[in-house]
Each structure stands twice: as C-alpha cells, then as structure tokens.
Amino acid sequence: MKEIICIVCPRGCQLTVDEANGYAVTGNGCPRGAAYGKSELQNPTRVLTSTVRLTGAALRRLPVKTDRAIPKGKLREAMALLDTVVAHAPVTEGQVLVADLLGTGANLVATREIPAE
Amino acid sequence: MYDLIVLGGGPAGLAAACRAWQEGVRRILLVERDDALGGILNQCIHNGFGLHRFSEELTGPEYAGRYIRMLGQTGVEVRLATMALQILPGQDGAPHEVHTLSPTHGYEVLQTRAIVLAMGCRERTRGAIALPGERPAGIFTAGAAQRYLNIEGYLVGRRVVILGSGDIGLIMARRMTLEGAKVLACVEVMPYSGGLTRNIVQCLQDYDIPLYLSHTVTDIKGHDRLEQVTVSQVDANRRPIPGTEMVFDCDTLLLSVGLIPENELTRQAGIEMDRRTHGAVVSEAMQTSVPGIFACGNVLHVHDLVDYVSAESERAGAAAAAYLQGNPSASLPSLRLDNGAGIAYTVPQRLHPGIGEAQVFFRVNRVTGPAAVVAENDAGETSRFRRLRFAPGEMERITLPANLVATAKEHITLRLEEGSV
C-alpha cells in the first residue's frame, strides 16, 4: 500500500495504491485519479513544458510541450534535446516541432501562435 | 464615445470583453499596456490550466490563445501598448472618462458609458516583506524570473533559494531545475504551504527539493552578487529562533510571497475598497460602488485558478451589458456578506436580496481537517458547506441558496466550523 497525492487536477486527492492487489486505487475523486495512481507507481510520466529558440519574430523563445506525458526518467534527456531545436516564425499553435520525441510516441508541439514578423 | 472600455487584456479582460460582445454590446474598447494580449498567461508556459473551463489541460499560452481567438471573432477594438493613466467617474449618469497614453495615439481622453477593471495584480517585493541583510544583485520576484526565462530566454541564476511557497515559486523551482539550475530549498514562514498541493508534489518532491515550513530568511550576504542566504526556523509568532540558522551558498533568491491587486486607478477614482482583498467592494454583479464600473479577476481578489477568473469575468461582462441595456442597478446594495470566525474574505461583499441564489468566493485563514463553512443570515436561516479540508492557499466557491439570500435583512455571516462534520 502506498499513499500518494494525485496531481491530475488542482483538487489534489489523497490516493492509496495497493501494489499487491493489481495497483487498485482508492481515495480518487474521478477515473483520471485511478489511472494516475496506477501509472505513477509503475511508470511515472509527466507532460514536459519548456521553450525552444525562435527566429524570425520579435519574441526570442517559443513555448512548447509534449502532446502527451513522457516517462519521468526521460525529462532530462528531453531537455537536452530541446536545446538543439530552433523554430522559425510563423508558427501555429499545435505545430509539431519534433515528432516522436526520444521514441516516446509524444510529439513536441508549439503552444503559442507566432505570426511572421 | 464607447459603451464599454475594458482595462487589461489578460484572462479577465478577454473574458469580460468577449461576453459583453456576445450580450449585444457593440462599441467596446479593450486597452492593454503590453505588446500582446494574454497577460501573465504568456509566461505561464506550464500546463494545468482550463480543466474547469475547457475540460482539458492546457498551458498558459494555449488558454490565452482560446480567448484571443474568441475575441478575434468579435468586433471589439483592441489597443495594445496603451497605458490607462486615470479614470474619472462621470457624475449623475454622465459618461466616465479614461485617460490613456500610447506611442501611436499619444495622450487621449476617452469617454465611455461603462468600464470593466481587469488590470490584474503584481508581486510583493523584497521591500514589502522587509527582508534583512545586504542588497546585492540576484534577488528576484519569482514572476520576474519566470518572465526572464520563458519570454526573454535568460536563466537568472545557478544556485537558487526560494522564499515563499506560492504557486509561482513552486513552478519556478521545477522550471529552473529543468534548465540546469540547482534549487537548494523552498522556505515558507507559515506552517503550511501557500501553493496547491499538486505543485508541492510535481514541482518540489519530483526533484527532491526540500520544503522548510515555519522557516524564513534571516540574513542576506553578497557584495555585488548574492553569495549567501541564512534561513532560520520561526516560532508560533513567526519570530526567528536563535540557534536554528542554516546557511545556503547561492547566487539567486526568488521571492514568492504573495500578490497584490493593482488598484491605483481604482483608488484614484474614489471607488470603495475592501482592505481584506485589496480590491474593490463589489455586488454579485461585480459592480463597484460607482455605477457602471465593474471589476473582475486578480484586480478584484487574487485567484488560484484562471478558470475561475474567466467565469467571474464573464459575469462582469454580462452585468456590464445588462447595465448598458437599461437595467442599471444603482450604487452598492445594502445586504452585506460578513466574515465571521475563520473567514479571511468573501467576494462579492454585497448582495441584492432579490437575486435568487448567489455564488460566493471566499478564503479561510487557517488549515483545517474536515470542516464546514456555515452561512447564517440575521433571520436565523443557515446553510452548511462541508469540505474534507480547508486551506488559505485554496480559494473556495459556494452557492448560497435563494431562500437564505431572500430572507436576510442586513447581513449574512460566513464562519468556519470545525469538528461538526
């Protein structure tokens, strides 16, 4: 049995996860909490949000995210990869900058629309 | 001559302007001092926004983008890089004046029948909390460091101590760690965190950053750049306990010690203020003590979630539209919402008795386990709202039943009741 706090939404439910019993989750206020509790103990994942270099616009940085959660253990490697990414304006929101980031199946996408200068 | 001028192009102003347009108001001007719409959301690049409003998890820029696109569908006129300098309320139904300054239009005096105040808030600084010690470079508010990093592309330091456990400080602890800085500690003077629990987990615990509750910064050393910060434990009266000092070698101190609604224009206009919220006193229609002037978002009271800012601001936009369409309610209604034991503030502070049920935001002033908030009017009617826990860091929302509002004579009192659940 392990107690963790759910981070899916601002409510912050106190979850109890029973590893010995198929990772059964109790204390969750919604189905997303149950899914979080299961995955957090077996393969914790996080959505990565950061910025990459931007050229051709007044702004110097473009905000980005992974379009799904990636394994927590890959966050550092992903950050190192982001240092090499350069986006060129114009950029649309949701535009894929790196497909299948580090083989995680997640795409790195832009989170802000940047018009051409 | 405008029907409505909205001051501020952040989430509050965007939602109020969109909603007023949807309600049929046509001559609307939105004034924003920055070069872009979206306000603080543009630098809040992390996710977690929009679960209530859009039923999905968005980043700050994405949340702003939704409303910016919505505004683009309307005929609302937008002026960027424009600073509002002064509001002069019109007397006896005369139009209000808004004085603005911008590089493109110079100094202008604009006339309008209604105004929505949506200027947001700013961070408390070192001066506001009287931090002791030397005054080297390297001490930033967390939001300033966030802007440098996420918008300008500068990491402000390598070894970081964070004072205050507000959400922006927690978010910056994670963000600077991911960018290669070492965050040594997060220090909170209160015995509980000021931020959301999920942020303690995903921003501190995920990266093994220690959180020192009941601790504060008691000395700062550094000639040119910050070199050392001393942290001490505090007693129940928040006084440092001698002998508990810890010294951190660091080049950066981030302050996440609270937000203050930015109400210079409001005060100058003679609008009645609430010293608890540091915002205007409003009715359930978000109308201030000056008829035709409304307030919403963080300029009214500091919110935890942008979703609630949007909802509140949409109410302000709708109320401004109703006012303009010949349904003007006079000055503030007389029915008061009072703060009893355990309640830090409520918004609105006043209610019209005939409105039916009333949505109320409030904060408590201490951490509890299972407890209830009791609303009682002066006719002896009560309503009870139970929660598993209350914390000052988490804004609560309740709906007062129509009967409780309708039977009240002069006031309804909210109080926190522990051990009754």
Side-chain angles (χ1 to χ4, degrees):
Chain A
M1 298 282 253
K2 196 155 190 277
E3 299 224 320
I4 57 171
I5 289 164
C6 183
I7 62 167
V8 170
C9 86
R11 201 170 141 179
C13 290
Q14 181 90 44
L15 308 179
T16 306
V17 188
D18 189 352
E19 305 101 311
N21 190 14
Y23 294 92
V25 178
T26 49
N28 53 306
C30 77
R32 286 160 35 103
Y36 171 77
K38 275 190 174 52
S39 114
E40 185 64 9
L41 263 67
Q42 300 175 82
N43 171 33
T45 61
R46 296 288 184 267
V47 169
L48 177 65
T49 61
S50 188
T51 64
V52 298
R53 261 184 73 194
L54 178 65
T55 60
L59 286 170
R60 301 155 51 102
R61 306 296 299 182
L62 174 71
V64 297
K65 70 172 183 183
T66 55
D67 63 1
R68 70 181 74 167
I70 65 173
K72 231 168 116 175
K74 292 220 168 176
L75 290 175
R76 293 278 180 186
E77 205 183 329
M79 284 299 290
L81 181 81
L82 260 58
D83 283 346
T84 66
V85 177
V86 182
H88 310 276
V91 178
T92 55
E93 189 186 308
Q95 184 178 321
V96 176
L97 302 166
V98 179
D100 189 17
L101 187 76
L102 299 173
T104 57
N107 299 316
L108 186 75
V109 300
T111 56
R112 184 174 177 180
E113 181 181 327
I114 308 285
E117 201 170 20
Chain B
M1 171 84 160
Y2 291 97
D3 286 326
L4 176 62
I5 293 181
V6 177
L7 298 178
L14 288 167
C18 283
R19 182 62 189 273
W21 178 271
Q22 287 159 11
E23 297 288 331
V25 183
R26 284 299 170 263
R27 292 176 300 176
I28 305 178
L29 173 68
L30 189 151
V31 174
E32 166 58 45
R33 69 180 168 191
D34 203 348
D35 298 323
L37 292 172
I40 206 69
L41 287 171
N42 288 329
Q43 70 182 59
C44 297
I45 61 165
H46 53 282
N47 61 337
F49 303 90
L51 279 167
H52 296 277
R53 179 63 182 79
F54 296 111
S55 300
E56 57 183 301
E57 194 163 19
L58 304 171
T59 64
E62 290 171 317
Y63 190 101
R66 298 267 170 123
Y67 272 98
I68 292 169
R69 286 193 291 274
M70 234 184 277
L71 192 80
Q73 310 281 310
T74 71
V76 172
E77 182 186 340
V78 175
R79 282 211 198 149
L80 299 175
T82 302
M83 184 78 188
L85 298 174
Q86 192 176 23
I87 297 168
L88 293 176
Q91 304 300 319
D92 304 319
H96 306 299
E97 275 184 8
V98 177
H99 294 221
T100 61
L101 188 64
S102 72
T104 46
H105 292 76
Y107 192 102
E108 279 192 297
V109 177
L110 307 171
Q111 302 221 312
T112 183
R113 293 170 60 209
I115 295 172
V116 171
L117 307 172
M119 296 89 79
C121 61
R122 60 171 171 246
E123 292 175 284
R124 293 176 78 200
T125 60
R126 179 175 182 180
I129 56 167
L131 270 186
E134 297 170 349
R135 310 186 71 82
I139 303 172
F140 303 87
T141 60
Q146 187 180 48
R147 183 177 170 98
Y148 278 125
L149 183 52
N150 294 345
I151 306 279
E152 318 283 344
Y154 297 106
L155 185 64
V156 298
R158 292 281 168 192
R159 288 176 65 83
V160 186
V161 169
I162 299 176
L163 176 61
S165 60
D167 287 313
I168 313 170
L170 300 177
I171 293 290
M172 281 308 290
R174 172 177 64 182
R175 183 80 188 102
M176 290 191 75
T177 303
L178 282 172
E179 289 292 354
K182 174 77 183 162
V183 179
L184 303 165
C186 180
V187 178
E188 168 63 54
V189 71
M190 301 302 284
Y192 49 83
S193 158
L196 297 171
T197 314
R198 70 186 311 218
N199 286 336
I200 302 284
V201 174
Q202 64 186 353
C203 298
L204 297 185
Q205 291 173 9
D206 267 11
Y207 299 95
D208 299 318
I209 299 166
L211 171 63
Y212 295 101
L213 297 174
S214 297
H215 279 72
T216 193
V217 169
T218 48
D219 198 15
I220 290 169
K221 281 200 167 60
H223 188 258
D224 296 318
R225 179 79 190 197
L226 178 63
E227 289 161 24
Q228 239 174 33
V229 161
T230 304
V231 170
S232 304
Q233 198 180 339
V234 297
D235 63 20
N237 297 315
R238 277 178 262 158
R239 274 190 294 261
I241 303 172
T244 61
E245 294 84 1
M246 294 183 283
V247 174
F248 293 95
D249 292 327
C250 58
D251 57 20
T252 303
L253 176 64
L254 295 189
L255 304 177
S256 179
V257 292
L259 301 166
I260 309 168
E262 195 159 347
N263 271 301
E264 281 71 19
L265 293 174
T266 320
R267 279 196 201 90
Q268 215 176 40
I271 291 168
E272 188 181 336
M273 301 291 293
D274 181 339
R275 61 191 172 81
R276 294 188 176 91
T277 57
H278 305 289
V281 173
V282 292
S283 68
E284 76 288 341
M286 319 315 294
Q287 185 165 223
T288 68
S289 62
V290 175
I293 302 186
F294 300 78
C296 56
N298 280 353
V299 78
L300 185 60
H301 60 127
V302 176
H303 296 62
D304 313 329
L305 301 183
V306 70
D307 303 68
Y308 292 158
V309 167
S310 298
E312 178 179 284
S313 305
E314 284 169 12
R315 282 220 304 276
Y323 171 88
L324 289 165
Q325 288 152 4
N327 195 6
S329 44
S331 41
L332 284 171
S334 59
L335 176 55
R336 299 189 323 265
L337 256 177
D338 288 343
N339 306 313
I343 306 296
Y345 74 73
T346 70
V347 169
Q349 295 88 345
R350 306 283 184 87
L351 296 172
H352 287 93
I355 49 164
E357 57 180 37
Q359 201 175 82
V360 173
F361 290 115
F362 68 93
R363 278 181 200 274
V364 298
N365 61 17
R366 60 174 189 265
V367 176
T368 73
V373 157
V374 181
E376 181 171 14
N377 72 15
D378 47 7
E381 291 277 330
T382 59
S383 284
R384 223 166 256 277
F385 305 88
R386 292 176 177 83
R387 300 281 190 277
L388 287 174
R389 68 188 289 265
F390 286 99
E394 292 178 17
M395 193 174 81
E396 296 285 341
R397 192 167 58 156
I398 56 174
T399 303
L400 300 179
N403 184 46
L404 185 83
V405 180
T407 58
K409 296 183 191 98
E410 286 172 357
H411 59 90
I412 297 171
T413 305
L414 251 57
R415 64 169 191 274
L416 187 59
E417 212 172 81
E418 282 180 79
S420 63
V421 184

